[in-house]
Amino acid sequence: MASTLSVAQLPPHDPGTPALSVVDMHTGGEPLRIVLAGCPEVAGPTLLAKRRYMRQHLDHLRRRLMYEPRGHRDMYGAVLVPSELPEAHLGVLFLNNEGYSSMCGHAVLALGRFALDYGLVPAPPTGSREALVNIHCPCGLVAAFVECEGGRSRGPVRFHSVPAFALATDLLVDVPGHGKVVVDVAYGGAFYAFVSAEKLGLDVCSSKTRDLVDAASAVTETVKAQFKINHPDSEDLAFLYGTILTDGKDAYSEEPTTNICVFADEQVDRSPTGSGVTARIALQYHKGLLELNQTRAFKSSATSSVFTGKAVRETKCGDFKAVIVEVSGQAHYTGTASFIVEDDDPLRDGFLLK
């Protein structure tokens, strides 16, 4: 029996439904499930059009990959697609428990390694210590720089963001159960509301995760109801993705500042949140709390994993003063898997416990 079972084989399954093959990774504890094979063609002339097509026509695949019994309510995924941008090495659609993200920093850090190791980018010249991977995300082109040795990835990855900016500061909102609360809203490829957990009667480092999730979700729903989000480039990007609760330590320090991100349908990021770090640095730079090329460390209250980030140059996004932010972190492989569907499985497309 040992020799018979030594090589994994797919059990009998619906022949009309291809198996989904994936590579699983994590960055700072936050999972990433990358689809290798089995996904139908995602139609559309642009990446944003492909994102709309997948939402309208292939959402069962998102649920199948993200939800139980193959995933869980905090699973995160990536579907690789062709990009219309000539400088892009690959395009990506991000999947979460609610839908489709516009940006994901922890995924970009992982995809940088994956793209190099799986031959999606040209092999770097002999002796190169870093490889460039241009990743077309729904928010725009993001450049990842992958440490490498002998043409394979090793060590951390860093990326340069799309233009990041503060959309609103000192915004007063009325949060049910918490009263009047002052929040900031900033963009780092996705829009987040930022508020110190202390203003909600919580401690981001010691409060129960459930209490942090409930408070962050209340802030998200309140800001959505009371404040209009807009993005100068596309309405597809004009939505509040989630709320990041912080320790309130926004002034520059060499010590890490801690936060937790609650996004999509109360999904909890285990990492410090790459696009959140991007937005938070843009916010701190906007407030004069951070200078160009001044590096800060950001720690996840969920896992204590750390990303570093810095604003590397000024730019514009429409009429907004913006910055390009560099974020660095470490991604790891966790394994590969193939998922099948039996034709009589009533839970073939997954489920989420509420």
Side-chain angles (χ1 to χ4, degrees):
M1 180 177 287
S3 60
T4 302
L5 298 180
S6 62
V7 178
Q9 295 181 351
L10 290 178
H13 61 283
D14 180 1
T17 305
L20 288 164
S21 298
V22 302
V23 171
D24 280 350
M25 302 182 71
H26 81 89
T27 311
E30 178 68 358
L32 181 67
R33 175 161 287 169
I34 305 166
V35 179
L36 274 180
C39 182
E41 180 184 0
V42 184
T46 67
L47 193 73
L48 287 176
K50 289 180 172 67
R51 181 169 172 259
R52 291 191 291 270
Y53 181 92
M54 185 149 192
R55 181 190 292 120
Q56 294 166 7
H57 301 286
L58 298 173
D59 196 57
H60 62 283
L61 292 178
R62 177 188 65 84
R63 300 192 302 272
R64 196 173 291 172
L65 288 161
M66 298 296 99
Y67 291 2
E68 296 184 55
R70 302 171 188 87
H72 52 82
R73 70 169 299 107
D74 293 315
M75 179 56 76
Y76 201 92
V79 173
L80 305 185
V81 296
S83 167
E84 73 273 16
L85 302 180
E87 64 270 40
H89 294 113
L90 66 148
V92 60
L93 302 177
F94 299 121
L95 319 178
N96 57 52
N97 71 4
E98 183 182 57
Y100 302 85
S101 316
S102 55
M103 171 58 185
C104 181
H106 94 272
V108 165
L109 295 170
L111 286 169
R113 287 198 66 189
F114 174 85
L116 179 60
D117 293 338
Y118 278 74
L120 302 184
V121 296
T126 302
S128 295
R129 304 305 298 271
E130 193 173 65
L132 170 66
V133 182
N134 284 326
I135 302 173
H136 186 188
C137 306
C139 63
L141 192 68
V142 176
F145 304 89
V146 184
E147 285 195 17
C148 59
E149 184 175 316
R152 301 298 299 272
S153 69
R154 62 177 301 277
V157 179
R158 60 190 177 94
F159 71 79
H160 284 182
S161 72
V162 296
F165 58 90
L167 180 65
T169 57
D170 300 326
L171 179 68
L172 186 64
V173 293
D174 192 356
V175 182
H178 299 279
K180 302 287 187 181
V181 179
V182 175
V183 305
D184 299 319
V185 179
Y187 179 78
F191 284 103
Y192 297 95
F194 291 87
V195 61
S196 169
E198 186 179 21
K199 294 181 180 179
L200 303 169
L202 299 169
D203 185 317
V204 75
C205 297
S206 62
S207 292
K208 293 181 178 179
T209 300
R210 183 69 256 173
D211 293 336
L212 294 169
V213 169
D214 289 344
S217 298
V219 171
T220 296
E221 294 308 310
T222 298
V223 174
K224 284 180 178 179
Q226 299 179 21
F227 181 71
K228 170 68 173 174
I229 299 286
N230 63 84
H231 190 283
D233 291 342
S234 173
E235 276 299 308
D236 287 87
L237 307 176
F239 64 96
L240 188 69
Y241 190 34
T243 291
I244 295 179
L245 304 181
T246 76
D247 58 9
K249 298 176 181 178
D250 291 327
Y252 175 74
S253 169
E254 293 184 357
E255 295 298 314
T257 175
T258 302
N259 56 231
I260 187 170
C261 176
V262 181
F263 65 98
D265 182 10
E266 298 190 340
Q267 192 161 339
V268 179
D269 196 332
R270 274 69 170 161
S271 80
T273 309
S275 56
V277 166
T278 301
R280 197 171 172 204
I281 286 177
L283 188 60
Q284 291 173 356
Y285 185 79
H286 174 82
K287 291 184 173 184
L289 302 174
L290 200 62
E291 299 176 0
L292 286 179
N293 293 306
Q294 198 168 36
T295 300
R296 286 212 73 179
F298 297 82
K299 184 166 71 173
S300 162
S301 74
T303 61
S304 296
S305 57
V306 175
F307 290 169
T308 60
K310 60 183 178 181
V312 294
R313 69 177 185 274
E314 294 180 338
T315 186
K316 297 275 285 185
C317 186
D319 292 331
F320 291 100
K321 293 181 178 180
V323 287
I324 301 298
V325 176
E326 180 179 290
V327 177
S328 300
Q330 176 72 65
H332 298 275
Y333 292 101
T334 57
T336 61
S338 293
F339 300 116
I340 64 167
V341 171
E342 291 190 292
D343 55 10
D344 61 347
D345 184 355
L347 300 176
R348 59 190 290 140
D349 291 336
F351 65 93
L352 281 185
L353 293 178
K354 293 294 186 181

